[in-house]
Amino acid sequence: LLVNQRNLIDKVLTRYSAEYVVYRELMQNSDDACAKGVEIVFETASPDSNETVSDLSTKIKRVIFKNNGMDFRQEDWDRLKKIAEGNPDESKIGVFGVGFYSLFSICEEPFISSGKECMAFYWKNDQLYVKPALIPEGEQQQGSCTTFLLDLRQPVHLFDMDGFARFLARSLGFTDNLREVTVYLDHHLLFSINKDICQSQPMVIPDAMHKTSPQNLFTLKSVDLQSVKMKASKWSQENHAIEEIFLRTASGKFDVRVPKQFGDEMERTAGKRPPRETTLQLLYLGHGETEASTNNTIFRDLLPFPEQGKIFVGFPTHQTTGFCGHVAGRFIPTVERESLDFVDKYIKVWNRELLSVVGLLSRMIYEDELGQIGNIYNNSILSHCTTDEPEDESTARTRESLENRALHALQAFQFYPSTPSPLVGSFIDDHFFKMSKSGLSVLSSHGVKELDKVRIPDPTMLEFLKNLPVLPTSVYSGSRTLVDRLEKAGKIQRICFSDVLEELRSRTLTGTQMVAMLQWWISVSSNSAISDADIGAFFHTTLVYSGDSARPLSTFRWFINPELTPVDMPLPLETLPYDITKNFTEPGLHMISAKWQELDLHEWTRYIVEEPDFETSSMFAEKVLLVLSRGWNQMPEVSQKAIVALLANKKCIPTNYGMKTPNESYFDTVTLFPDLPVMVFTSKPLAELLMAMGARQFVELQLVFDRLVNEGSWDHMQFVKYLASVRNKLSPDEIEELRSRPIFTKKDVIKHKPAHPKCRRSTVSLSAQFSKRCLANTLYTPTETHIALGLPVIEWKASIGNWNEKSDEADLLFELGLERSPRMNDLLKLAASPNERVIRTRALHYFLDNIKGLYSGQYDPSVDIAFLPTTDGSFQTPLGCFTNKNCSVMDFPILHQDLRMYITLLCVEENPSSDKLLDKLLKSPPTSKAKAQQVFEYLLSVQASFLDNQWKELKKAKFIPLDDTGMTMVDPQSCYLYREDLPYRDLLITVDFGRSANQFLKACGVKEEPSPVELAQLVARSPGEFLKHEGVDRYWSILRRIAIHVDAIKSNESLLAELRRSPFLLGEITIQNEASGSSESMADGRQVMNMGQVVKYELALASDIYLVDDSVLQQIFTPLCAPTEDLLESLYESLGSTWISEKVEEIYEPTGKPKNTDRTYALQARIEERAPLLLSIHSTDRLIFNLDWLTTNLKVLEVPRIQLHLKFIPTGVTKSEETTVCIVKDRKEVHYLMIKDQAEMDYFDIGDALAKLLLKRKRLNDSIRWTDLLLSSLENLKRKGFQVDRILNAKNAEKAGTEARM
């Protein structure tokens, strides 16, 4: 068996297409050989030893790779000669044995020297040969050294050294032995990379950790932590740059235990057995290392944070880890070593088990970091701070540092979908949480705690929840995605209501904390539903300091408004501390508790009047009264009365005779009697308050009555003069009493006439006198105008002076109700008086003269007093008459012409409203044509005022007279405007009232001619008259016009039902006539004789007329049929006509033995050939079967005879005849096209039979077209415009594609 080795190696190299793959493999071999250093030299074609500066643009011809590891052993030399024989050493990375051959991707014949031996590779044809040899002693290198000399196939430019340096730095990250890499261009040092590892520190494995992988392949023995420093030195023409980074690695040592079968399968697949123990390394950056390793270019790929790390199989692969850490271990990659193998059954298990312990190692590192954070927190913060004390600057800095460190840890181990395989990140993430029995540790506001004991922070609650551990705000905001995911998984919760209650039970909040807590309560109670039980628990649990003791929040009822209630005076115990409530608006306090109310002055007074000082200390009482005075005018009347009731019987008024009750005290202005107790205040309270309490401003009226009036003999004018002098001292109640007393006399009172109806008897001792007197509001001022109008005026004697409206007496009388001018309604009633003509005229003129002044704000045109004279001598209200004389044609009153100048002031309308016009028209329609013309012409002038709903009402109302009797009225929708050329004029109701009147009727709905829908309705109701009047031809035209608008008819269900019930459709019957060749038309136009046939027309229901889709059936059974016009067929069908084929039962009876003949084969072939053409002329919604069915399920056979039995179902008439073609089917649903054994095939019968079979509705044209398609040659069809080639080719291609898929 010969193998083309060149092709084999080329195929291997296609799997090693990654960048720098040669150097990756050589460095891996160097690390396996325990080399400490590697030197890479790029040689140019003609190096100049005298050059002092390297020229990176020069092409290189050779690469020399050296390492100082162990010399090659004999088995190593032997393996070089073999392809795909991996390193059997289970502790080494190599698996497939093909990595070395990556050298052939850049070099044709590599040369290797190691120790005392060397080996050259060379080609003969396509076979690879090796030539080993010993190195002469004089040419051997000092110390252990292995060199790979690679002559490039052709000189190439040096690749980007920055990218190459990053690759080498990344590759050096997880090497067990390699510590240094140097790179030269000829003799010029380009850069070097060094790695220093500090002594490892063992990590304590917590008991809560699961040390064994899920399938028990790996068991953790120990974990060592190491700090790594890497340094890169780069030389260039400009400078010598140095970069440094600091890393941490965790190395976990695991025992490996695999079942024998598993080990055997692994050895078969990977070429070596699994090791008995293995090491897994994780490289990550803590917060400190991240801050110390910034601004790096060479090492940036080795710094995983904040990006995802890579899986290293000796050197980095393309597989990411899903978190901010690199992982190196004995993973088994795919052949190209760029991703992990999850395909092989056993390798998949091996890799998954390794990934699970990566999750374990990641969790241990995270928990170790949080443990260190927790220790620092406990020692530096927790032991020095209390809940309510602010932190000092040093503690705050420590807290900030720890929060940054904890946030970094969370972000570093926040998992994202890994690439290219998401399984890697998913497995590590899953076991990061599964490999510990304890919850995830996080930094909280009270140190490091397990996740389930910590809550997600709520900014609105941080101020008052001091004992509840929550995530620090910076930690939460920086790891929001992770926290949201943990919350969704149920591993952490948001602060719940029970947490708040627990905090409230544990301590009493400070004032500031209480404010914050109540602000939170406003938010949560308004945005979420809280049970009554929780609300009760909240208010009973929350304690508030009130005075020297703490009280539950539920015991408080009041809050203070300092502008109303003083905060420095005694307050009820149920009042919330002002230091708390001052931070809230009143609506906010109501949102906290609907039971809380502002402490109003009434409640405060109820409490304060019980204070002992209130009736003993004049200063205390004065201060209370001043507080009440400040809020008195803003207080509702009910509260004022309640406060007065509390104060009325309290000795709270300081007087010159000591503390007195309010009704015992007089204002200091009262000097009528010297023995009265007069009030004494330092700052005088509000007079209205004192008066409301009962304090007296003057001596009571009754007392004045008793002293000034002797047994009822007194003059009301003298009494008015006294009252005017003390007006400012009269209380509202006293003024009201004066209003209600009949004190005043009327001028020229006639004793025998009854008193004014508003006069009433007084209950005082003056009752006899008061019975003859009147109330002030029943009288008018004593002016000549009022006397001339006959109004009752007050008696005013000249002995005390003439009447003066500007006097104090007049002001008092006006306040008591004396009228200055006539009340408008009284005046209008006088103007409407039917008997007093003179007073009526004076009253109307007085009203019109003062309508702009006295009555401008009072006058309402809707007044129900008929005071306006009209042209017909009647009196009407302003809304009952009009100014347009034309509206009198409808019997509306017209305002008298003398008042036309007052139209605007009186608000008399020009025309009646549309409602009135409509009401008048419908209730009293015109009874003659002449009257109707006048009315309609007037209505045309005001038609703009009609509303849409009124037009609709007019359309249905019968108000149009057809004669002068007034007995026949029609509505607008039932008649049409007359004109000489109006179609069907003699069959319609027409009207004509002149051009202007007709315009109004058109607006009401009278049309110039019937619409198609109306025409259909008219024809349906009188089809015989229409046919007789119009004749057959014009009747067909009418039906066609209706058919055009069949969609509109279908939307009118009532009309559609009426048309279906009416015999208005015209049907035709063709009858053979013996008088062949004659022609005659009957007088009524109902039948025509032509060419030996009589076509008879009849009116019938749609259900009694049949649509012709088979002319043969029509000829056989001669039913009443619709014309064969698409337009009319659509109308007939929509009204209930059926196709004649649906009413004929066809039974085919082929006789004789069916057989295949040349004719059947030819016809079968033709049908299959023309099938695409047959079906292409129809839309798919008309087809019953498709092309595939037609070409596979239809067979052509020949029989001697075919008998057709026809039965017309509506009449039961049967016919039998022979035919040439039929289609039958057997039990297996196979259809057979039977043709009669005869000299010539009838292609029309064949096309007709196929159309019946394949189309949902077969028409005569379909049969004719299919006959043509079957009978015509393809050339003729092309000339007729059929795209024969395109259709047939498309169908053939589709058929070929279907067969290919099968």
Side-chain angles (χ1 to χ4, degrees):
L1 178 64
L2 296 177
V3 176
N4 187 319
Q5 293 178 343
R6 184 180 293 275
N7 288 343
L8 175 61
I9 292 176
D10 288 342
K11 290 180 180 179
V12 170
L13 292 178
T14 60
R15 303 297 298 275
Y16 277 74
S17 58
E19 191 176 22
Y20 310 128
V21 63
V22 173
Y23 306 95
R24 182 190 71 185
E25 296 298 330
L26 292 176
M27 288 186 69
Q28 179 64 65
N29 291 337
S30 301
D31 192 51
D32 288 344
C34 300
K36 300 296 183 183
V38 165
E39 179 181 297
I40 303 173
V41 180
F42 297 104
E43 290 188 351
T44 60
S46 55
D48 186 351
S49 59
N50 295 323
E51 285 184 353
T52 58
V53 178
S54 60
D55 183 5
L56 298 181
S57 64
T58 305
K59 290 186 177 181
I60 60 172
K61 70 169 186 177
R62 178 181 297 147
V63 177
I64 300 175
F65 187 97
K66 299 180 181 180
N67 71 66
N68 57 7
M70 296 184 300
D71 294 339
F72 272 23
R73 299 165 297 177
Q74 186 57 46
E75 56 267 31
D76 296 327
W77 290 111
D78 292 342
R79 276 198 304 275
L80 286 181
K81 305 174 187 178
K82 301 175 182 178
I83 300 175
E85 182 176 318
N87 191 337
D89 188 346
E90 61 190 29
S91 65
K92 304 302 180 183
I93 293 294
V95 175
F96 303 105
V98 294
F100 167 75
Y101 286 87
S102 64
L103 274 60
F104 288 94
S105 64
I106 63 172
C107 173
E108 188 73 11
E109 297 180 344
F111 180 84
I112 300 108
S113 64
S114 181
K116 300 178 181 181
E117 298 179 69
C118 62
M119 180 177 289
F121 289 78
Y122 62 96
W123 293 93
K124 287 185 179 181
N125 297 324
D126 290 326
Q127 296 299 115
L128 183 63
Y129 293 87
V130 297
K131 183 177 182 181
L134 293 175
I135 302 174
E137 288 188 8
E139 298 179 12
Q140 294 178 7
Q141 302 183 60
Q142 297 297 320
S144 297
C145 181
T146 300
T147 301
F148 295 82
L149 191 148
L150 309 174
D151 286 322
L152 304 183
R153 290 191 177 90
Q154 59 184 7
V156 298
H157 285 290
L158 191 64
F159 36 66
D160 176 35
M161 282 295 103
D162 289 337
F164 188 55
R166 288 196 300 272
F167 160 74
L168 294 177
R170 189 168 64 244
S171 300
L172 205 59
F174 281 110
T175 55
D176 292 329
N177 302 293
L178 273 179
R179 295 291 185 269
E180 181 180 15
V181 179
T182 56
V183 179
Y184 290 86
L185 178 60
D186 295 330
H187 61 279
H188 299 290
L189 178 60
L190 298 180
F191 60 84
S192 65
I193 303 173
N194 299 86
K195 179 170 74 171
D196 293 329
I197 301 177
C198 298
Q199 187 173 357
S200 62
Q201 298 292 328
M203 179 189 292
V204 177
I205 303 176
D207 294 335
M209 291 294 176
H210 297 290
K211 301 176 185 177
T212 305
S213 62
Q215 295 192 27
N216 300 319
L217 264 62
F218 301 101
T219 302
L220 180 64
K221 295 192 301 180
S222 64
V223 178
D224 293 327
L225 296 178
Q226 291 179 314
S227 295
V228 178
K229 174 184 176 183
M230 296 187 72
K231 176 180 178 181
S233 298
K234 182 178 178 182
W235 284 265
S236 65
Q237 297 179 7
E238 293 81 10
N239 57 18
H240 172 205
I242 297 177
E243 295 181 10
E244 291 183 342
I245 63 168
F246 298 88
L247 307 169
R248 272 193 272 176
T249 62
S251 299
K253 291 183 169 48
F254 295 86
D255 283 336
V256 182
R257 296 179 182 177
V258 297
K260 183 177 184 304
Q261 181 185 359
F262 189 95
D264 293 341
E265 291 294 336
M266 285 281 290
E267 184 176 14
R268 180 188 63 78
T269 304
K272 62 176 72 175
R273 296 189 66 80
R276 295 183 178 180
E277 61 179 27
T278 189
T279 300
L280 189 68
Q281 291 180 293
L282 194 151
L283 184 150
Y284 68 101
L285 273 74
H287 183 253
E289 288 86 359
T290 302
E291 290 186 334
S293 302
T294 57
N295 300 322
N296 280 286
T297 57
I298 293 178
F299 294 115
R300 70 184 184 191
D301 293 339
L302 204 55
L303 301 175
F305 191 87
E307 306 299 330
Q308 294 189 40
K310 295 290 185 68
I311 295 291
F312 282 65
V313 184
F315 291 89
T317 66
H318 287 172
Q319 179 64 53
T320 62
T321 60
F323 68 100
C324 302
H326 298 305
V327 176
R330 298 304 179 187
F331 296 99
I332 300 179
T334 55
V335 174
E336 67 275 13
R337 295 178 63 180
E338 294 301 331
S339 57
L340 302 189
D341 189 348
F342 289 108
V343 177
D344 183 84
K345 177 180 178 181
Y346 292 93
I347 292 178
K348 175 173 66 176
V349 174
W350 173 269
N351 285 335
R352 286 187 175 184
E353 286 285 278
L354 266 180
L355 291 173
S356 68
V357 294
V358 172
L360 167 62
L361 191 59
S362 303
R363 180 63 178 273
M364 287 185 61
I365 294 169
Y366 174 81
E367 294 293 342
D368 180 72
E369 177 72 4
L370 267 292
Q372 296 179 41
I373 294 173
N375 291 334
I376 298 173
Y377 185 95
N378 294 338
N379 295 329
S380 301
I381 297 178
L382 197 60
S383 61
H384 295 87
C385 296
T386 61
T387 301
D388 296 326
E389 291 182 358
E391 294 179 345
D392 56 31
E393 185 177 352
S394 175
T395 304
R397 284 198 304 269
T398 302
R399 181 183 292 277
E400 181 182 6
S401 174
L402 293 179
E403 288 178 4
N404 291 336
R405 187 173 172 182
L407 174 60
H408 179 88
L410 275 175
Q411 291 174 336
F413 291 97
Q414 178 174 337
F415 289 87
Y416 298 93
S418 59
T419 58
S421 172
L423 292 176
V424 173
S426 175
F427 268 86
I428 300 175
D429 179 14
D430 191 32
H431 289 85
F432 179 82
F433 291 98
K434 285 185 176 179
M435 296 303 279
S436 176
K437 303 172 187 175
S438 302
L440 187 71
S441 298
V442 291
L443 176 63
S444 73
S445 56
H446 288 268
V448 174
K449 297 186 178 297
E450 290 186 17
L451 199 60
D452 60 347
K453 297 179 176 62
V454 180
R455 299 290 183 263
I456 297 174
D458 185 334
T460 63
M461 306 168 75
L462 295 180
E463 182 64 32
F464 65 89
L465 289 181
K466 299 298 183 180
N467 291 343
L468 180 68
V470 297
L471 288 175
T473 302
S474 61
V475 174
Y476 174 57
S477 59
S479 58
R480 184 70 176 267
T481 303
L482 174 60
V483 175
D484 290 346
R485 178 182 159 218
L486 294 173
E487 179 188 8
K488 187 176 181 181
K491 298 181 183 297
I492 189 172
Q493 299 178 5
R494 295 187 178 273
I495 301 173
C496 60
F497 193 73
S498 60
D499 294 327
V500 177
L501 293 180
E502 186 63 30
E503 179 94 8
L504 296 176
R505 292 189 187 101
S506 66
R507 66 190 185 93
T508 302
L509 305 184
T510 66
T512 302
Q513 294 169 354
M514 179 61 66
V515 170
M517 188 269 290
L518 292 178
Q519 288 172 340
W520 163 80
W521 177 255
I522 291 174
S523 174
V524 72
S525 61
S526 61
N527 295 324
S528 59
I530 303 176
S531 68
D532 293 341
D534 285 342
I535 293 174
F538 174 78
F539 280 92
H540 284 86
T541 303
T542 304
L543 298 178
V544 179
Y545 277 108
S546 178
D548 297 330
S549 62
R551 294 164 54 90
L553 197 60
S554 59
T555 63
F556 291 91
R557 297 177 55 199
W558 314 108
F559 57 84
I560 301 173
N561 179 357
E563 296 181 359
L564 191 65
T565 310
V567 297
D568 58 347
M569 293 188 71
L571 297 169
L573 291 176
E574 297 88 354
T575 306
L576 286 157
Y578 179 65
D579 287 342
I580 293 176
T581 59
K582 68 182 181 181
N583 297 281
F584 299 91
T585 62
E586 182 175 346
L589 291 168
H590 289 312
M591 290 177 69
I592 297 173
S593 173
K595 298 179 180 179
W596 291 356
Q597 300 295 325
E598 180 182 305
L599 180 63
D600 57 25
L601 289 176
H602 175 210
E603 290 296 335
W604 180 71
T605 304
R606 187 195 302 276
Y607 172 77
I608 206 71
V609 296
E610 302 302 327
E611 288 288 315
D613 289 346
F614 185 60
E615 293 188 275
T616 60
S617 171
S618 60
M619 292 181 61
F620 188 87
E622 180 177 327
K623 191 172 183 180
V624 171
L625 293 176
L626 288 173
V627 170
L628 294 175
S629 298
R630 197 162 59 240
W632 185 257
N633 291 329
Q634 292 77 38
M635 199 181 304
E637 183 179 356
V638 64
S639 297
Q640 290 178 345
K641 291 180 179 179
I643 290 175
V644 168
L646 292 170
L647 299 177
N649 297 320
K650 296 289 184 179
K651 294 183 177 181
C652 58
I653 306 295
T655 72
N656 55 353
Y657 287 96
M659 300 295 286
K660 297 292 183 179
T661 61
N663 64 349
E664 297 173 340
S665 308
Y666 286 85
F667 282 84
D668 56 6
T669 57
V670 177
T671 58
L672 184 59
F673 303 106
D675 59 343
L676 298 176
V678 178
M679 293 179 282
V680 179
F681 289 106
T682 304
S683 297
K684 190 175 181 180
L686 188 68
E688 288 87 340
L689 169 63
L690 296 173
M691 292 167 59
M693 292 168 61
R696 302 176 185 273
Q697 283 189 304
F698 57 88
V699 182
E700 291 78 358
L701 284 178
Q702 189 61 50
L703 181 58
V704 175
F705 290 154
D706 292 342
R707 293 189 179 186
L708 297 181
V709 180
N710 183 16
E711 295 181 358
S713 177
W714 54 282
D715 187 349
H716 74 270
M717 297 181 67
Q718 294 295 332
F719 187 56
V720 168
K721 287 180 67 68
Y722 166 73
L723 291 177
S725 68
V726 296
R727 170 61 192 90
N728 293 334
K729 300 177 182 179
L730 296 175
S731 69
D733 290 340
E734 290 169 328
I735 292 293
E736 187 61 35
E737 183 179 0
L738 291 172
R739 287 194 184 107
S740 64
R741 284 178 180 261
I743 300 171
F744 311 99
T745 59
K746 181 173 63 170
K747 182 178 179 66
D748 295 330
V749 175
I750 301 175
K751 295 183 179 180
H752 68 270
K753 287 188 176 182
H756 194 280
K758 290 190 178 180
C759 296
R760 66 170 186 252
R761 301 179 65 86
S762 174
T763 58
V764 299
S765 61
L766 306 177
S767 59
Q769 289 292 330
F770 286 167
S771 64
K772 299 178 182 180
R773 298 175 183 269
C774 300
L775 299 173
N777 63 5
T778 65
L779 301 175
Y780 288 87
T781 57
T783 64
E784 293 297 330
T785 301
H786 293 162
I787 294 172
L789 290 172
L791 297 171
V793 297
I794 191 170
E795 183 180 12
W796 196 259
K797 296 179 181 179
S799 58
I800 62 170
N802 293 328
W803 170 257
N804 183 3
E805 290 193 355
K806 296 183 179 179
S807 65
D808 292 338
E809 291 81 4
D811 287 342
L812 176 64
L813 287 170
F814 290 147
E815 186 176 5
L816 296 180
L818 185 67
E819 295 289 349
R820 296 172 185 264
S821 58
R823 288 183 287 268
M824 188 184 70
N825 278 4
D826 291 344
L827 190 62
L828 295 183
K829 288 178 181 177
L830 290 173
S833 174
N835 300 321
E836 299 290 340
R837 182 176 179 276
V838 174
I839 291 179
R840 182 175 71 224
T841 303
R842 289 175 182 172
L844 180 59
H845 286 167
Y846 182 87
F847 173 71
L848 294 175
D849 291 342
N850 293 279
I851 190 171
K852 288 185 179 180
L854 290 174
Y855 308 114
S856 62
Q858 302 177 41
Y859 177 68
D860 185 350
S862 63
V863 62
D864 59 357
I865 301 173
F867 69 94
L868 293 178
T870 64
T871 56
D872 61 2
S874 65
F875 287 84
Q876 298 291 335
T877 64
L879 297 182
C881 60
F882 307 94
T883 64
N884 186 355
K885 62 181 181 180
N886 292 330
C887 67
S888 62
V889 72
M890 297 184 72
D891 300 327
F892 286 104
I894 308 303
L895 182 68
H896 197 280
Q897 60 185 8
D898 293 344
L899 300 181
R900 292 298 178 92
M901 67 180 69
Y902 301 105
I903 289 174
T904 304
L905 295 175
L906 293 171
C907 301
V908 176
E909 296 290 340
E910 180 183 6
N911 293 291
S913 67
S914 59
D915 288 335
K916 291 181 178 179
L917 293 171
L918 181 63
D919 184 66
K920 177 74 75 172
L921 179 64
L922 299 186
K923 289 182 178 179
S924 302
T927 56
S928 67
K929 291 185 177 182
K931 179 72 170 179
Q933 181 174 358
Q934 293 177 341
V935 171
F936 296 159
E937 287 176 349
Y938 166 69
L939 290 176
L940 175 66
S941 68
V942 295
Q943 70 174 6
S945 64
F946 284 93
L947 303 176
D948 289 344
N949 61 319
Q950 293 171 332
W951 287 115
K952 292 178 181 177
E953 189 173 356
L954 282 171
K955 287 181 180 180
K956 300 177 182 179
K958 295 184 177 181
F959 64 89
I960 304 173
L962 296 181
D963 51 35
D964 291 332
T965 65
M967 302 299 292
T968 307
M969 297 283 183
V970 295
D971 60 86
Q973 296 182 107
S974 300
C975 59
Y976 302 89
L977 295 177
Y978 176 86
R979 72 173 193 268
E980 288 295 332
D981 60 342
L982 177 65
Y984 333 118
R985 185 184 64 197
D986 297 336
L987 300 174
L988 304 175
I989 299 175
T990 59
V991 295
D992 185 6
F993 293 95
R995 183 174 179 275
S996 297
N998 287 350
Q999 284 293 105
F1000 173 72
L1001 292 178
K1002 284 180 66 176
C1004 293
V1006 177
K1007 297 183 179 179
E1008 294 185 352
E1009 64 179 56
S1011 67
V1013 173
E1014 292 170 339
L1015 179 61
Q1017 195 172 39
L1018 292 170
V1019 173
R1021 292 173 182 174
S1022 303
E1025 293 182 20
F1026 268 85
L1027 180 61
K1028 181 178 180 180
H1029 187 272
E1030 298 295 323
V1032 172
D1033 291 339
R1034 294 182 65 184
Y1035 197 85
W1036 282 125
S1037 299
I1038 292 174
L1039 292 180
R1040 292 187 184 97
R1041 185 180 176 196
I1042 295 173
I1044 292 173
H1045 299 86
V1046 69
D1047 291 336
I1049 293 173
K1050 289 180 180 178
S1051 64
N1052 189 333
E1053 294 183 1
S1054 60
L1055 175 59
L1056 188 64
E1058 183 177 358
L1059 294 179
R1060 287 174 175 168
R1061 294 193 301 268
S1062 171
F1064 81 100
L1065 291 179
L1066 200 58
E1068 57 186 27
I1069 301 176
T1070 302
I1071 305 172
Q1072 296 297 326
N1073 192 291
E1074 295 180 358
S1076 176
S1078 62
S1079 176
E1080 181 181 359
S1081 178
M1082 295 184 67
D1084 61 358
R1086 297 197 181 189
Q1087 69 180 31
V1088 177
M1089 184 185 304
N1090 187 26
M1091 296 303 293
Q1093 293 181 335
V1094 175
V1095 180
K1096 183 179 180 182
Y1097 299 96
E1098 292 183 8
L1099 291 172
L1101 296 172
S1103 58
D1104 293 333
I1105 300 175
Y1106 299 94
L1107 302 171
V1108 178
D1109 58 346
D1110 192 322
S1111 59
V1112 175
L1113 297 178
Q1114 180 190 18
Q1115 295 172 11
I1116 294 174
F1117 295 107
T1118 63
L1120 189 62
C1121 294
T1124 55
E1125 294 182 25
D1126 290 343
L1127 183 62
L1128 291 175
E1129 284 179 342
S1130 176
L1131 173 64
Y1132 281 53
E1133 186 174 16
S1134 64
L1135 296 178
S1137 295
T1138 56
W1139 296 93
I1140 190 171
S1141 62
E1142 296 177 359
K1143 296 299 181 178
V1144 175
E1145 182 180 291
E1146 296 182 348
I1147 301 175
Y1148 289 93
E1149 185 180 351
T1151 57
K1153 183 178 180 182
K1155 60 183 177 179
N1156 284 312
T1157 65
D1158 292 342
R1159 297 173 74 227
T1160 63
Y1161 290 137
L1163 181 57
Q1164 180 90 43
R1166 174 155 292 212
I1167 292 174
E1168 291 180 0
E1169 177 191 50
R1170 304 296 172 90
L1173 293 171
L1174 295 174
L1175 300 183
S1176 67
I1177 62 175
H1178 298 289
S1179 59
T1180 55
D1181 58 346
R1182 286 199 63 197
L1183 297 177
I1184 299 175
F1185 300 112
N1186 59 20
L1187 177 63
D1188 290 339
W1189 185 92
L1190 177 60
T1191 56
T1192 57
N1193 289 276
L1194 182 68
K1195 307 299 181 185
V1196 181
L1197 295 174
E1198 191 174 77
V1199 292
R1201 184 181 179 212
I1202 301 174
Q1203 188 76 10
L1204 171 60
H1205 304 286
L1206 301 173
K1207 179 181 179 181
F1208 190 50
I1209 297 172
T1211 62
V1213 175
T1214 60
K1215 300 284 185 176
S1216 297
E1217 62 180 19
E1218 286 196 5
T1219 185
T1220 63
V1221 176
C1222 73
I1223 295 179
V1224 297
K1225 64 178 180 179
D1226 61 12
R1227 295 180 180 178
K1228 296 182 179 180
E1229 296 297 318
V1230 177
H1231 288 66
Y1232 296 93
L1233 176 65
M1234 302 289 190
I1235 60 175
K1236 185 178 179 182
D1237 183 4
Q1238 60 183 16
E1240 183 179 357
M1241 285 188 290
D1242 189 333
Y1243 276 95
F1244 177 81
D1245 286 352
I1246 296 172
D1248 187 66
L1250 290 174
K1252 288 180 181 178
L1253 172 66
L1254 298 176
L1255 298 180
K1256 295 178 181 178
R1257 167 69 59 203
K1258 190 269 295 182
R1259 305 287 178 88
L1260 178 61
N1261 286 341
D1262 296 327
S1263 301
I1264 295 171
R1265 292 175 70 187
W1266 283 29
T1267 301
D1268 190 31
L1269 290 173
L1270 289 171
L1271 192 58
S1272 300
S1273 67
L1274 295 179
E1275 289 74 14
N1276 287 336
L1277 292 176
K1278 288 181 182 180
R1279 284 197 299 272
K1280 293 177 181 179
F1282 287 93
Q1283 298 182 7
V1284 175
D1285 295 335
R1286 181 176 180 182
I1287 295 173
L1288 295 181
N1289 292 338
K1291 296 301 180 180
N1292 291 335
E1294 180 181 350
K1295 182 176 180 180
T1298 303
E1299 293 175 352
R1301 288 191 294 272
M1302 296 175 60

